[in-house]
DNA sequence: ATATGTGTTGAC
DNA sequence: TCAACACATATG
């Protein structure tokens, strides 16, 4: 048990205090977690062969970790009312780490985790893992976790200095580290985002958090502003008019957006992500990656439903990999 | 037979 | 959203 120690508290309950590694940092008031009493084989317990199993499975103090009948631990995360299974693990802490990785990929760096808040940490290790997560689709991350190859892939990624596993279309590999950036949010574009409406709806949640509109004091209504985004570190510049539409009560990128859609040939289901350089500059970046496109050639599994359900980014099509970012075209 | 992951439910 | 629990289904 590397992440916890057990101490007998009383005959009918056990208090598990997970002490090291920052576990439980976010749980309750930092106290340990009191588990359900474990009525071993019913009071009398005894009549002879008390087997390893007590019907009551021990619950885990880790978020996203559930006990398995065989003593192992399962990891899961929920998204859109559905459970995404992350695999089973021998060690409770491994399951917890699997959850952490998934949480950060699914919910962003601010997600509540069992151990590492990755973000905040400016160590190269953390930064590398963050970009690793951002460079892969949810399905890929889940797949790695279930196959227990996450650690290896991450390592391989750092070693080779390749952000993704494959080389990009231009044949080159990613340049060392351009400038440290953090992803603000990403969105799988909808049909209307790439249609004739010539606008991209920015989910309110992200809009208010990252693109504060209004109140620019200095001048005006603040109902509209120009966003300057850069495509990749040394990519081209993009300017989008960003505003709020009262009629639909939505935040949108208008002028300039259609040009981006056209040039990138964005299709519904593709993903666009917005980043910001870390530090004072606050330069904004935009990136994108295709979802469907090569699925056929990729021979990949039936995509649509890799595991049970979930995975596929929101909109219909099962989004999938392809690190289109870091393109060198143009 | 055992392990793994889903169906379901109820609490928060 | 989340985990407990039952149980169906993969796996070796």
């Amino acid at each position: 048990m590397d992440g916890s120690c057990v101490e007998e508290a009383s005959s009918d309950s056990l208090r598990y205090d997970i002490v090291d590694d920052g576990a439980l940092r976010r749980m309750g008031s930092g106290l340990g977690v009191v588990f359900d009493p474990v009525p071993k084989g019913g009071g009398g317990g005894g009549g002879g062969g008390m087997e390893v199993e007590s019907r009551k499975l021990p619950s885990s103090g880790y978020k996203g970790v559930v006990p398995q009948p065989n003593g192992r631990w399962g990891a899961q995360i929920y998204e859109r009312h559905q459970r995404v299974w992350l695999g089973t693990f021998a060690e409770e802490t491994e399951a917890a780490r699997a959850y952490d990785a998934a949480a950060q990929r699914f919910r962003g760096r601010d997600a509540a985790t069992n151990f590492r808040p990755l973000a905040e940490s400016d160590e190269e290790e953390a930064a590398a893992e963050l970009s690793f997560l951002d460079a892969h689709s949810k399905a890929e991350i889940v797949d790695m976790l279930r196959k227990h190859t996450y650690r290896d892939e991450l390592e391989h990624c750092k070693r080779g200095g390749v952000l993704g596993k494959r080389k990009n279309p231009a044949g080159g590999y990613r340049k060392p580290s351009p400038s440290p950036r953090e992803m603000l949010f990403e969105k799988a574009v909808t049909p209307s985002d790439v249609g004739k409406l010539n606008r991209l709806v920015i989910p309110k949640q992200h809009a208010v958090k990252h693109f504060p509109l209004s109140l620019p004091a200095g001048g005006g209504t603040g109902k509209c502003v120009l966003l300057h985004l850069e495509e990749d570190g040394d990519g081209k510049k993009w300017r989008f008019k960003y505003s709020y539409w009262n009629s639909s009560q939505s935040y949108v990128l208008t002028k300039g957006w259609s040009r981006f859609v056209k040039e990138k040939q964005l299709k519904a289901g593709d993903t666009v992500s917005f980043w910001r350089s870390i530090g004072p500059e606050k330069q904004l970046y935009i990136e994108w990656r295709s979802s469907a496109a090569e699925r056929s050639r990729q021979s990949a599994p039936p995509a649509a439903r890799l595991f049970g359900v979930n995975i596929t980014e929101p909109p219909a099509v099962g989004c999938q990999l392809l690190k289109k970012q870091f393109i060198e075209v143009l």
Side-chain angles (χ1 to χ4, degrees):
Chain A
M1 299 263 175
D2 52 354
S4 66
C5 62
V6 184
E7 57 180 322
E8 303 282 353
S10 76
S11 60
D12 59 15
S13 72
L14 295 176
R15 168 178 284 272
Y16 289 54
D17 280 312
I18 299 175
V19 295
D20 67 10
D21 217 2
L24 293 180
R25 73 172 64 232
R26 299 167 185 282
M27 303 199 65
S29 46
L31 297 173
V33 175
V34 180
F35 291 159
D36 289 330
V38 180
K40 293 280 185 188
M50 255 298 294
E51 277 312 64
V52 240
E53 349 290 345
S54 53
R55 314 242 141 6
K56 281 315 188 192
L57 274 52
S59 58
S60 171
Y62 293 102
K63 185 175 174 58
V65 178
V66 295
Q68 288 300 98
N70 55 0
R72 286 163 62 82
W73 301 87
Q76 59 183 33
I77 187 171
Y78 283 79
E79 173 170 70
R80 283 187 52 88
H81 292 241
Q82 293 215 298
R83 168 178 47 204
V84 175
W85 190 252
L86 305 174
T88 57
F89 308 80
E91 296 303 321
E92 191 177 357
T93 50
E94 279 314 297
R97 285 178 211 295
Y99 172 84
D100 284 1
Q104 303 228 18
R105 179 59 186 80
F106 281 60
R107 304 169 180 171
R109 48 199 100 291
D110 299 328
T113 56
N114 292 300
F115 305 101
R116 105 199 85 159
L118 267 187
E120 265 297 297
S121 171
D122 48 17
E123 298 154 44
E124 192 174 314
E125 286 290 295
E129 186 158 359
L130 254 345
S131 52
F132 173 74
L133 286 170
D134 290 329
H136 294 78
S137 68
K138 294 175 184 175
E140 288 177 293
I141 296 301
V142 171
D143 192 44
M144 288 183 250
L145 293 174
R146 290 175 70 151
K147 290 177 178 169
H148 296 187
T149 60
Y150 179 81
R151 218 61 219 177
D152 287 339
E153 294 277 19
L154 170 59
E155 210 48 49
H156 175 274
C157 216
K158 296 195 294 200
R159 279 183 17 236
V162 185
L163 233 205
K165 301 165 295 215
R166 301 169 259 293
K167 48 188 179 183
N168 63 38
Y173 285 108
R174 179 196 179 224
K175 298 181 180 64
S177 51
S179 57
R181 300 173 296 167
E182 64 171 340
M183 186 173 73
L184 301 177
F185 66 90
E186 62 180 14
K187 178 188 182 184
V189 299
T190 65
S192 66
D193 284 331
V194 296
K196 296 173 182 173
L197 271 47
N198 300 317
R199 60 97 177 99
L200 169 71
V201 172
I202 304 296
K204 181 177 181 180
Q205 168 194 6
H206 298 123
V208 300
K209 182 173 182 180
H210 305 295
F211 296 159
L213 204 43
S214 68
L215 6 150
T221 79
K223 280 301 180 185
C224 159
V225 63
L226 277 183
L227 289 185
H228 290 250
L229 300 104
E230 191 175 316
E231 186 178 339
D232 188 33
D234 55 302
K236 65 185 295 182
K237 302 293 197 304
W238 291 90
R239 286 173 26 138
F240 299 111
K241 179 180 176 182
Y242 171 57
S243 55
Y244 178 73
W245 281 355
N246 291 305
S247 59
S248 54
Q249 300 203 311
S250 52
Y251 297 82
V252 296
L253 287 190
T254 55
K255 190 179 190 313
W257 175 246
S258 61
R259 190 171 192 293
F260 186 81
V261 172
K262 183 179 180 183
E263 180 169 320
K264 304 307 175 191
Q265 296 194 296
L266 281 191
K267 301 293 187 298
D270 289 349
T271 301
V272 288
S273 52
F274 295 84
W275 310 61
R276 180 176 57 204
S277 60
I278 296 178
E281 317 123 57
K282 291 201 170 184
Q283 167 66 49
L284 294 173
Y285 299 91
I286 183 172
E287 234 160 73
W288 65 283
R289 68 166 181 269
S290 172
S291 64
E294 336 223 322
R295 189 160 319 132
S296 50
R297 150 151 72 86
Q298 210 90 37
S299 80
R305 45 179 35 249
L306 265 184
F307 321 108
V309 205
N310 42 44
I311 288 39
T312 69
E313 321 291 53
V317 245
C319 299
Q320 210 58 323
L321 36 175
L322 289 204
K323 287 77 203 169
K324 275 294 183 54
Q325 41 190 308
F326 306 123
I327 44 191
E328 308 219 343
V329 289
L330 71 74

